[in-house]
Amino acid sequence: MVGEREFRVVLLGLPGAGKGTQGKLLQQTLGIPTISTGDMLREAMNSGSELGRMARSYMQKGELVPDSVIVRMVEETIGSERCAKGFILDGFPRTYEQAKALDGVLEAWGKTLTKVLYFNLPEEEAVRRISGRMACKSCQRMYHNLFNPPPTSGRCECGAELGIREDDKEETVRKRVVVYRSQTLPLLEYYGQKEILCAIDASPTIENVQKEALKALCANA
Ligand code: AMP
């Protein structure tokens, strides 16, 4: 059944709520790509491109990259062939302007979002989860030294080395939480009014949160 449906999904939640982890699992189950704007910006940074240099100046401070840049990047990606059967957006939209722009793009294509999953987690727990997490330097898969340890210490499943993200320092995380509260949290009301919002308790194990996410998506997608 899942294979016949189109899913255009947004994942919302605090940094550290598990959007990246859950997005990658949903990608495997649903067979549609997860588009993470954070991953795209980090790839741009690693490639040394002009976009990467510009993005780093915001990301290092825990601030948001300007809407116009992000919207262009996302529009190009979700308009590509690999997203023709749907997509899962992780980390976008993060502002009201981005949400409006996404609706405008989809509307022009005669489409709408099917669901917005909100991974609900208390702020202190999100900050606790971020301290102790590691990212693969190649495929960007995330691990956590307690909750989701890598198969081999310091190495990703893909074999590449793990590292700590530049913006996962406590001071930067605190700033990201403040930015989330003021810029992204209002989107709950925006999507709530459209009746496509589904809140999921993000505190249980990865497996249980994944079950709830799939249940929510398959309920009436
Ligand atoms: P993430 O990996 O989603 O936690 O994103 C890491 C950082 O990338 C954020 O703190 C922002 O600086 C930047 N970023 C990612 N997605 C967006 C977005 N949709 N709008 C603006 N900045 C973003």
Side-chain angles (χ1 to χ4, degrees):
M1 280 313 281
V2 160
E4 293 160 19
R5 291 177 174 175
E6 282 192 16
F7 292 91
R8 286 174 297 279
V9 179
V10 163
L11 308 183
L12 276 183
L14 274 164
K19 301 184 299 296
T21 303
Q22 295 298 332
K24 288 194 171 71
L25 291 171
L26 287 174
Q27 166 170 304
Q28 284 166 14
T29 311
L30 302 177
I32 51 172
T34 291
I35 312 299
S36 156
T37 43
D39 283 356
M40 289 168 87
L41 294 171
R42 281 183 288 277
E43 274 159 27
M45 264 163 41
N46 292 341
S47 76
S49 68
E50 199 182 315
L51 166 67
R53 276 197 298 278
M54 185 275 282
R56 171 172 269 133
S57 64
Y58 293 94
M59 291 167 82
Q60 275 180 334
K61 289 185 274 181
E63 292 171 1
L64 296 183
V65 172
D67 290 333
S68 57
V69 176
I70 297 286
V71 167
R72 206 176 322 126
M73 198 172 84
V74 171
E75 182 174 0
E76 215 169 274
T77 308
I78 62 176
S80 67
E81 188 51 37
R82 76 185 177 109
C83 291
K85 293 236 156 20
F87 51 79
I88 301 154
L89 291 170
D90 159 18
F92 178 93
R94 258 179 159 94
T95 65
Y96 176 75
E97 286 70 23
Q98 292 179 14
K100 287 293 287 177
L102 175 62
D103 281 349
V105 167
L106 292 176
E107 199 182 319
W109 297 340
K111 303 197 165 182
T112 53
L113 285 174
T114 45
K115 194 77 89 184
V116 175
L117 298 184
Y118 168 51
F119 294 102
N120 191 12
L121 194 71
E123 278 182 16
E124 324 80 72
E125 178 60 16
V127 173
R128 198 168 73 88
R129 281 189 185 179
I130 290 181
S131 60
R133 79 178 184 179
M134 297 157 288
C136 174
K137 290 184 177 170
S138 171
C139 72
Q140 312 225 32
R141 194 187 162 118
M142 303 295 290
Y143 294 92
H144 191 281
N145 57 10
L146 294 178
F147 313 125
N148 183 25
T152 313
S153 174
R155 294 258 155 217
C156 178
E157 245 176 45
C158 77
E161 205 187 332
L162 299 177
I164 294 174
R165 266 171 51 174
E166 273 182 73
D167 58 347
D168 276 356
K169 290 186 299 208
E170 182 164 350
E171 189 194 323
T172 318
V173 170
R174 299 259 168 223
K175 171 75 187 191
R176 286 163 63 200
V177 168
V178 169
V179 169
Y180 171 84
R181 237 188 266 140
S182 68
Q183 306 266 74
T184 311
L185 211 51
L187 297 185
L188 292 185
E189 198 185 333
Y190 179 78
Y191 289 124
Q193 281 173 359
K194 291 179 182 287
E195 299 185 0
I196 52 172
L197 183 71
C198 182
I200 290 173
D201 178 6
S203 343
T205 61
I206 292 174
E207 293 73 23
N208 285 335
V209 174
Q210 178 68 190
K211 272 190 209 145
E212 288 306 308
L214 276 171
K215 219 196 278 176
L217 286 182
C218 295
N220 51 3

